[in-house]
Amino acid sequence: MREPAVMFRLPGHVLANVDALASRLNLSVNMVAKLTVIREIMNTPAMLEEHDKQLANMHQFLREMAFHNEEFLADNEDRRDEAAKAIMAKLNEVINTIDSIRDAAFVRPSTYIEELIRQHDERPIQGSLGA
């Protein structure tokens, strides 16, 4: 079975650069684009893992800062005012935001596309998938 073609538009200045590279390497523009996309896709898991590590480090730093702030406030009851409470609230807000970013960035396996293809392939009469 032939693999499906994937088409996308490139801005003029990018296309000119890809064309120059393709002629220099004696390849087609399509092959250069395909190899570039494959290379970038192969790097995505490593980038996501590094992104998650950095967010985890930020999260840990903020947790430690919140812990030290609470410790400071417990030791200095006279300084436990609205500003200190505002700092704790902001730290908690930032920690929750980082948790949300990490949760959203986590790649979850999805069977949606596989299900669409399966439904399409099981039809008695094949038609184009809707856009």
Side-chain angles (χ1 to χ4, degrees):
M1 178 183 226
R2 186 167 184 233
E3 295 179 2
V6 178
M7 297 180 200
F8 55 91
R9 294 185 189 274
L10 293 173
H13 67 283
V14 174
L15 183 58
N17 290 337
V18 173
D19 190 35
L21 179 62
S23 64
R24 192 168 193 179
L25 296 173
N26 199 23
L27 293 172
S28 71
V29 173
N30 291 336
M31 184 58 74
V32 171
K34 178 180 176 181
L35 293 172
T36 303
V37 168
I38 289 172
R39 181 180 178 277
E40 289 304 312
I41 288 173
M42 298 299 283
N43 289 332
T44 300
M47 289 188 303
L48 288 174
E49 185 177 335
E50 182 60 30
H51 181 257
D52 190 52
K53 284 180 186 176
Q54 294 301 324
L55 286 172
N57 290 340
M58 291 167 58
H59 186 268
Q60 182 62 34
F61 171 76
L62 290 169
R63 277 192 185 277
E64 289 173 9
M65 187 182 286
F67 173 75
H68 289 300
N69 190 35
E70 279 187 13
E71 194 176 79
F72 174 78
L73 293 175
D75 293 343
N76 301 295
E77 287 293 328
D78 55 326
R79 294 188 183 181
R80 193 175 186 100
D81 57 356
E82 292 302 314
K85 290 178 184 175
I87 291 171
M88 282 304 295
K90 186 52 93 173
L91 283 172
N92 285 329
E93 180 184 330
V94 172
I95 286 172
N96 289 334
T97 302
I98 288 176
D99 281 342
S100 297
I101 292 170
R102 289 181 73 196
D103 187 51
F106 182 73
V107 179
R108 293 168 182 81
S110 173
T111 58
Y112 178 72
I113 293 174
E114 291 174 6
E115 182 65 22
L116 280 177
I117 293 170
R118 187 186 60 73
Q119 288 174 1
H120 181 265
D121 289 346
E122 289 177 355
R123 292 182 190 157
I125 298 174
Q126 298 292 314
S128 296
L129 287 172

